[in-house]
């Protein structure tokens, strides 16, 4: 059966699934959902797919799945023959799921600021921006110490995992929410590394990395 992604092209949460499937070289079909301005994700037909009214939704092999972090884990576990993107090691799985939760925190802050500024959502812009900066400072410190120890990615393995895919989009789109990454050099170096992963694909506002120095 063909994988089907219910997608809004400008959504970072939808993009992370397109990115993962491109990295895994998976064929899939897209059903566009008019998130803005049509709010089609709150329509009756969409609520039958996901009663929580949230994008993305993915259908595969008779399953209807929602939540971007859960779908990342599903895609990696089912289709990644290397076993690297979502390893079976219990400790690494716990690390990855922790970062999937942090990705949700980034969505609740950096993405919310972007929605407030660009999509007229009624979020407290100052609060969401401050929240995003707090998270970015913590991630930047985590990555900086990791680089000193020879670790390039969010989790302990010497390769990227779904944790990196989960956190990447709304970090990269943060400036659309008025959140500069200028003060977070380790965070910016990490985004460059993600953008050099084989199979990387772009979306509006996210571009390939420049030449490696």
């Amino acid at each position: 059966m063909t994988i089907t992604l219910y997608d809004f092209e400008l959504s970072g949460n939808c993009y992370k699934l397109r990115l993962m499937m491109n990295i895994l070289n998976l064929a899939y079909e897209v059903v566009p959902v008019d998130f803005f301005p049509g709010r089609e994700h709150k329509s009756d037909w969409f609520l039958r797919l996901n009663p929580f009214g949230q994008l993305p939704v993915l259908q595969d092999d008779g399953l209807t799945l929602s939540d971007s972090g859960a779908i990342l884990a599903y895609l990696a576990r089912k289709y990644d023959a290397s076993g690297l993107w979502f390893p079976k090691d219990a400790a690494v799985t716990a690390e990855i799921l922790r970062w999937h939760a942090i990705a949700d925190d980034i969505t609740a802050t950096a993405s919310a600021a972007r929605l407030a500024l660009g999509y007229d959502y009624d979020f407290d812009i100052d609060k969401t921006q401050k929240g995003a900066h707090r998270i970015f400072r913590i991630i930047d410190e985590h990555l900086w110490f990791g680089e000193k120890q020879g670790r390039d990615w969010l989790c302990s393995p010497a390769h990227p995992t779904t944790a990196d895919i989960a956190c990447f989009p709304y970090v990269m789109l943060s400036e659309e929410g008025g959140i500069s990454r200028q003060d977070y050099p380790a965070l910016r170096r990490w985004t460059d590394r993600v953008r050099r992963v084989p199979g990387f694909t772009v979306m509006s506002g996210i571009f390939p990395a420049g030449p490696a120095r």
Side-chain angles (χ1 to χ4, degrees):
M1 291 181 64
T2 302
I3 298 172
T4 301
L5 173 65
Y6 292 82
D7 178 65
F8 178 60
E9 187 174 351
L10 299 180
S11 161
N13 281 333
C14 293
Y15 163 68
K16 63 184 70 172
L17 301 187
R18 301 196 304 268
L19 175 56
M20 187 80 260
M21 288 190 284
N22 209 62
I23 290 169
L24 296 175
N25 197 29
L26 296 177
Y28 63 96
E29 295 180 350
V30 168
V31 176
V33 178
D34 185 11
F35 175 87
F36 182 85
R39 293 182 60 79
E40 198 173 7
H41 58 301
K42 303 299 184 183
S43 65
D44 289 343
W45 74 265
F46 188 85
L47 292 174
R48 286 193 288 272
L49 293 174
N50 180 7
F52 291 101
Q54 297 171 331
L55 287 165
V57 167
L58 183 137
Q59 292 180 321
D60 181 41
D61 200 20
L63 297 172
T64 297
L65 306 170
S66 57
D67 182 83
S68 60
I71 298 170
L72 284 175
Y74 169 83
L75 291 170
R77 184 58 60 86
K78 182 171 182 178
Y79 291 109
D80 174 27
S82 74
L84 297 177
W85 284 99
F86 198 82
K88 292 184 178 179
D89 178 271
V92 176
T93 297
E95 277 189 87
I96 291 172
L97 293 179
R98 173 177 177 260
W99 284 103
H100 281 201
I102 293 167
D104 289 338
D105 293 337
I106 297 171
T107 299
T109 54
S111 173
R114 176 176 178 254
L115 288 173
L117 288 178
Y119 298 82
D120 201 30
Y121 270 62
D122 186 22
F123 293 122
D124 184 326
I125 295 174
D126 183 63
K127 181 179 179 181
T128 54
Q129 290 174 338
K130 287 179 177 176
H133 279 295
R134 175 183 172 275
I135 295 169
F136 286 6
R137 280 193 297 272
I138 294 170
I139 299 175
D140 185 71
E141 183 175 288
H142 171 77
L143 289 165
W144 188 88
F145 280 109
E147 288 173 345
K148 301 304 178 187
Q149 299 163 0
R151 173 178 51 76
D152 285 337
W153 307 101
L154 291 175
C155 295
S156 55
H159 54 77
T161 66
T162 59
D164 300 283
I165 303 301
C167 292
F168 172 77
Y170 285 125
V171 170
M172 283 299 298
L173 294 168
S174 65
E175 292 190 1
E176 294 183 9
I179 302 154
S180 172
R181 297 185 299 278
Q182 185 63 36
D183 292 335
Y184 312 113
L187 185 69
R188 288 186 279 112
R189 289 191 295 271
W190 167 76
T191 63
D192 283 348
R193 291 192 288 273
V194 175
R195 290 186 290 163
R196 293 191 177 101
V197 170
F200 179 80
T201 189
V202 300
M203 69 165 278
S204 177
I206 300 179
F207 309 100
R213 296 178 180 177

